[in-house]
Amino acid sequence: MDLVRLHARWAGLPRAWLPVKVVAALALVYGAGTLGGLLPGYAVATTAVVLAYLSFAARRGRVPADVGLGRAGAVRETAAGFALGAALMGLVVAVHVAAGWYRVLRTDVEPWTLAASIVFFALVSVQEEVVARGVMFRAVERRWGSGAALVVSSLVFGFLHAGNPSATWWSSVAIAVEAGILLGGAYMVTRSLWLPIGIHWSWNLVQGPVAGLPVSGQRTRSLLVAEVDGPQLWTGGAFGPEAGLVAFAIGTAVGLAL
């Protein structure tokens, strides 16, 4: 059964089931972490988030395109976002290399691990963009406008990472500004979630599973095994480049341009 048909059945449940659907979605989202980071857990959680989001929209007479998940342009915008996110994180790594802060020690090629990482970070990007830009941004925008929506969704998105390993107040602020403005700007330009999903996906993928840098404080198996030896203010230290001024400047500049 494809996602659209499953959504139709989910949305067709009586109104009295809405609290049950909300609780089930939240339980699955946060329960994914208790599964030890297993890919099936995140797949179930992401499916639950998307179904709940589409169901809520359907109750108000809106189709997926009205809430940023339309089929038209989905592949094109996701691919464009993926290319942009990869280019931005590639530029961050290139600056580290040019400054002498980043050195590759060896390669660690495991096709299955890399494939699993590609799928995992796709799920993460869908889940987080639906919540941050699809739900939060749109809810605040309806009441207080786009400016307030950008500020609120960015701050919440940044400080949701406050519990990650090696996180500090600065790392949360940095993510709120560089990623919040970048991803929020991508949504504002297209009124679709596909472009920010693509950016989010490849930003994390290039940062961790390819370049071997921490992704918001978390280490992953990577294609390149590297060491970073440079000023923490610029490199982000143990939290990763998202807490460094290089990524902060690049992400914020492109976000403001959008």
Side-chain angles (χ1 to χ4, degrees):
M1 180 183 295
D2 63 31
L3 192 60
V4 173
R5 290 170 60 193
L6 186 58
H7 157 249
R9 292 193 177 185
W10 180 262
L13 290 173
R15 184 179 294 274
W17 280 71
L18 182 59
V20 176
K21 292 193 286 186
V22 172
V23 171
L26 291 174
L28 287 168
V29 171
Y30 292 103
T34 67
L35 297 175
L38 296 176
L39 194 58
Y42 280 91
V44 170
T46 302
T47 301
V49 168
V50 173
L51 287 174
Y53 181 60
L54 294 176
S55 177
F56 192 77
R59 287 292 184 185
R60 281 149 183 78
R62 299 185 178 95
V63 297
D66 296 332
V67 293
L69 289 178
R71 292 182 178 179
V75 174
R76 181 182 67 254
E77 291 178 10
T78 303
F82 191 94
L84 178 57
L88 294 179
M89 184 48 63
L91 180 57
V92 171
V93 175
V95 172
H96 283 62
V97 171
W101 302 331
Y102 176 90
R103 184 166 66 93
V104 176
L105 302 178
R106 65 181 187 278
T107 59
D108 185 12
V109 181
E110 285 193 5
W112 165 246
T113 301
L114 185 58
S117 294
I118 292 171
V119 175
F120 172 77
F121 282 109
L123 294 171
V124 169
S125 66
V126 170
Q127 187 180 127
E128 293 187 357
E129 289 310 306
V130 165
V131 172
R133 257 57 64 176
V135 175
M136 190 170 303
F137 185 101
R138 294 179 68 254
V140 176
E141 185 180 45
R142 282 195 301 270
R143 184 173 293 270
W144 293 298
S146 299
L150 184 62
V151 171
V152 172
S153 63
S154 296
L155 286 173
V156 172
F157 181 71
F159 280 88
L160 281 175
H161 295 79
N164 287 26
S166 304
T168 64
W169 69 269
W170 163 248
S171 65
S172 297
V173 170
I175 288 179
V177 176
E178 74 198 26
I181 293 177
L182 174 63
L183 298 170
Y187 174 72
M188 292 169 74
V189 165
T190 61
R191 307 307 298 183
S192 167
L193 294 174
W194 298 120
L195 184 63
I197 283 171
I199 295 172
H200 197 152
W201 182 13
S202 61
W203 174 283
N204 285 344
L205 188 64
V206 172
Q207 183 177 195
V210 175
L213 297 169
V215 180
S216 301
Q218 304 187 60
R219 288 280 185 179
T220 65
R221 292 288 299 272
S222 58
L223 180 64
L224 302 177
V225 178
E227 65 176 6
V228 176
D229 183 17
Q232 182 171 330
L233 180 64
W234 291 93
T235 66
F239 188 82
E242 290 161 320
L245 289 182
V246 176
F248 182 86
I250 291 172
T252 304
V254 176
L256 290 174
L258 287 171

